[in-house]
Amino acid sequence: MQRKIIEITTEFIKLDSLLKFAGIAAIGGEAKFMVTSGAVMVNGEVCTMRGKKIRPGDIVTIPFDKVELEVRGA
């Protein structure tokens, strides 16, 4: 599994925005589909809330793409 470090300069980023920011999803519709279909995990649990607030220290995993995003504060 490939691990990417994503640095954010805000208190949080919404899950669908994180997928676009990290380059996992090309457009918002793709990010929405990934999340609502259950293809994304946050801290080891499936998350279907595209507006979920992701904060520094959270780990977002996309098992299908074999990618793990570690969110850090800048």
Side-chain angles (χ1 to χ4, degrees):
M1 183 151 311
Q2 178 186 359
R3 178 174 266 216
K4 292 184 177 180
I5 308 266
I6 305 297
E7 290 192 9
I8 60 172
T9 58
T10 56
E11 179 184 348
F12 65 86
I13 185 170
K14 291 183 179 179
L15 180 56
D16 58 348
S17 297
L18 174 68
L19 296 175
K20 290 188 298 184
F21 181 71
I24 302 298
I27 57 173
E30 183 181 3
K32 177 182 175 182
F33 177 77
M34 289 175 69
V35 175
T36 58
S37 68
V40 179
M41 299 174 74
V42 177
N43 298 325
E45 295 185 13
V46 173
C47 181
T48 56
M49 300 182 311
R50 64 187 179 113
K52 169 108 174 121
K53 294 178 181 177
I54 305 299
R55 301 176 189 280
D58 287 337
I59 303 289
V60 176
T61 308
I62 302 93
F64 180 76
D65 288 339
K66 298 182 180 173
V67 175
E68 191 172 79
L69 306 174
E70 180 181 341
V71 180
R72 293 187 182 169

